[in-house]
Amino acid sequence: MSPRTSDCRSRKKAPGPAIRVALLVAGSALAGSFAASAAPAPADDAGWQFSGDFRGGYFASERTARDGTESDEDAFNARLRLAFERSLNETWRFRTRVAGRFSSEQDDLDVYLHSYAPTRGGADFGDITLDEAYFGYQAPDDGLRFKVGRMQTAFAVPGVASKGLDRNDSPNIGVNWTDGVHLDMPVAGGWRGHVIAQYQDAKGSSSVTAAPLDFSDSGSRATLFLGMENKQRVGAITQRMLSLTWMPESLADRGLGDPSRQDYVTVDARIAAEWPMGATGAKFVTGAEVGYALETPLDAVSGTGGNGDTGGLAWQVQASVYDFAPRHNIGLAIGRADAGWLISPDYRPNDSSAEVRYQWQFLPKTSMEARVRERRELEHPAGTRARVDRDLYVRVSHKF
């Protein structure tokens, strides 16, 4: 589910029933027309290539607040992305993509091109924008890779419920992007080095960033990500990665209203493994990730009820079984993030999370997925109870 409106920088009022129905019908017709007309184009390096994907379904959630108040919401939500790509020569290409988020609960449509997202979770429902527009370079023999412009950057633990603690643009039906430069270079022994320099607008980030991260200070214009990744298989091990994120003068450790700003620095490590299960083609995939923020805000700023600094630890563990029946997959993801871990699109600060996800690949380019999840607050002021959120969705994804 996307972050609730309380996490947004702006809000949209609820629409009338007629608008909701019209939006759903229009969105379904639009997705259907694109899918029907998207026959594979002949390979032509000199021309434009078209591709895209549609993901949508029914989403529902319920919340028990700190004071015991119960609330719930549900909607039909969707994301549509249309990409255009052109090879310039054997090593250079240009790619751009239009992305939109839609909901039966949205108020209107907003088409824009900003360097910042309108909410802390990314694009809002009813938003249409470019989430890719970059020049890419690929050296021969899987050598140096380079992108400059607007792009997607994502590093996640593999699994049916693939998730990440730090950089993981556009999960689920989200729309995020990275404006900047991504250098991906071979090092040695199957290791590749990643250097990502991301521009941060004074009005906010285009990535998921929780309060009290703030980019109004002139010294916070650039975020730096450094990573070392190895996907060369060693026994059962299929992935190893270490990374560091540096956001200079971006942490309002004493609150957004206080002028104090600190560098926000995190370190992260992940590992994944895979084993075959019998002779039927089934396989077991598992992975773990742990991160730590070196500087965190005060408990008073995060509302945890404590009287010191918030914790900076975050972790997750995933386990999945692929093809337990032909084209049927199931996975479990468990994790938690202290109130000082502020950069995950998949784990909220000061929350524990547990989910089960099922996937059915019933056509080569089309799948159905269902999820049930519970998220529970870790710390809360004395005299209150832990906030609990439970949600589910059933959605369909199609690539064309």
Side-chain angles (χ1 to χ4, degrees):
M1 300 288 285
S2 297
R4 291 174 179 259
T5 53
S6 60
D7 297 327
C8 297
R9 299 186 184 109
S10 61
R11 292 190 180 188
K12 298 183 179 181
K13 63 182 181 180
I19 295 178
R20 299 180 190 178
V21 173
L23 286 169
L24 280 178
V25 172
S28 300
L30 182 64
S33 65
F34 277 123
S37 63
D44 180 7
D45 291 340
W48 289 95
Q49 303 296 312
F50 169 76
S51 62
D53 63 80
F54 170 82
R55 176 175 287 174
Y58 175 72
F59 292 71
S61 65
E62 61 181 21
R63 165 174 288 186
T64 302
R66 285 176 169 178
D67 62 1
T69 303
E70 302 279 349
S71 62
D72 60 80
E73 57 186 28
D74 66 313
F76 291 92
N77 302 328
R79 181 185 68 191
L80 179 65
R81 303 189 294 193
L82 307 173
F84 302 87
E85 185 171 331
R86 185 185 182 100
S87 295
L88 306 179
N89 55 39
E90 293 183 353
T91 55
W92 283 93
R93 65 189 174 104
F94 174 76
R95 176 180 168 92
T96 187
R97 186 170 69 182
V98 180
R101 300 186 75 214
F102 309 98
S103 175
S104 58
E105 296 299 301
Q106 74 185 59
D107 182 23
D108 52 18
L109 290 176
D110 189 8
V111 182
Y112 58 81
L113 184 60
H114 302 318
S115 55
Y116 63 94
T119 82
R120 286 191 175 272
D124 206 352
F125 288 118
D127 289 356
I128 300 174
T129 189
L130 292 181
D131 73 342
E132 287 185 331
Y134 66 85
F135 288 95
Y137 172 81
Q138 170 67 70
D141 302 321
D142 201 26
L144 176 71
R145 304 168 192 161
F146 176 77
K147 292 179 181 178
V148 58
R150 175 166 295 186
M151 69 202 78
Q152 298 290 297
T153 55
F155 302 93
V157 174
V160 175
S162 180
K163 291 174 172 290
L165 289 179
D166 52 8
R167 186 167 290 272
N168 189 26
D169 286 344
S170 305
N172 200 350
I173 57 169
V175 173
N176 305 96
W177 59 89
T178 299
D179 286 340
V181 176
H182 182 184
L183 184 64
D184 174 358
M185 69 200 95
V187 181
W191 288 91
R192 298 189 70 91
H194 295 272
V195 179
I196 299 174
Q198 179 180 3
Y199 172 76
Q200 304 284 17
D201 194 284
K203 294 182 178 180
S205 180
S206 57
S207 302
V208 174
T209 53
L213 286 177
D214 173 68
F215 303 96
S216 59
D217 192 285
S218 61
S220 64
R221 291 286 75 79
T223 287
L224 184 65
F225 175 90
L226 303 175
M228 287 288 291
E229 182 181 32
N230 193 325
K231 291 186 176 181
Q232 190 175 91
R233 185 159 187 155
V234 178
I237 306 285
T238 56
Q239 183 193 49
R240 293 154 284 165
M241 186 169 184
L242 299 171
S243 62
L244 178 145
T245 297
W246 176 38
M247 296 179 166
E249 300 182 48
S250 301
L251 177 64
D253 59 320
R254 298 181 180 275
L256 295 173
D258 190 285
S260 174
R261 294 294 183 272
Q262 302 294 327
D263 291 1
Y264 188 69
V265 180
T266 69
V267 291
D268 182 274
R270 63 175 60 91
I271 190 169
E274 176 185 313
W275 292 269
M277 297 177 65
T280 62
K283 62 181 179 181
F284 176 72
V285 177
T286 187
E289 182 178 14
V290 61
Y292 186 74
L294 304 184
E295 187 77 24
T296 61
L298 296 174
D299 281 305
V301 173
S302 299
T304 61
N307 55 9
D309 293 333
T310 57
L313 181 66
W315 60 265
Q316 65 160 326
V317 177
Q318 294 193 41
S320 301
V321 177
Y322 286 85
D323 291 313
F324 67 88
R327 300 182 297 279
H328 293 264
N329 314 315
I330 193 167
L332 171 69
I334 299 173
R336 60 178 283 168
D338 286 345
W341 187 266
L342 307 172
I343 56 173
S344 174
D346 298 306
Y347 293 95
R348 295 185 311 199
N350 196 32
D351 261 8
S352 64
S353 174
E355 73 172 74
V356 176
R357 200 179 298 196
Y358 163 75
Q359 189 180 81
W360 175 29
Q361 188 81 36
F362 59 91
L363 290 173
K365 295 185 178 181
T366 309
S367 64
M368 184 277 286
E369 188 170 287
R371 179 182 77 181
V372 292
R373 176 177 64 174
E374 179 181 276
R375 293 183 289 182
R376 186 176 295 268
E377 195 172 30
L378 297 176
E379 298 180 88
H380 52 92
T384 66
R385 57 177 295 169
R387 183 191 63 241
V388 179
D389 289 302
R390 297 180 178 90
D391 60 73
L392 63 85
Y393 69 64
V394 180
R395 73 184 191 201
V396 172
S397 301
H398 177 71
K399 296 180 179 180
F400 48 90

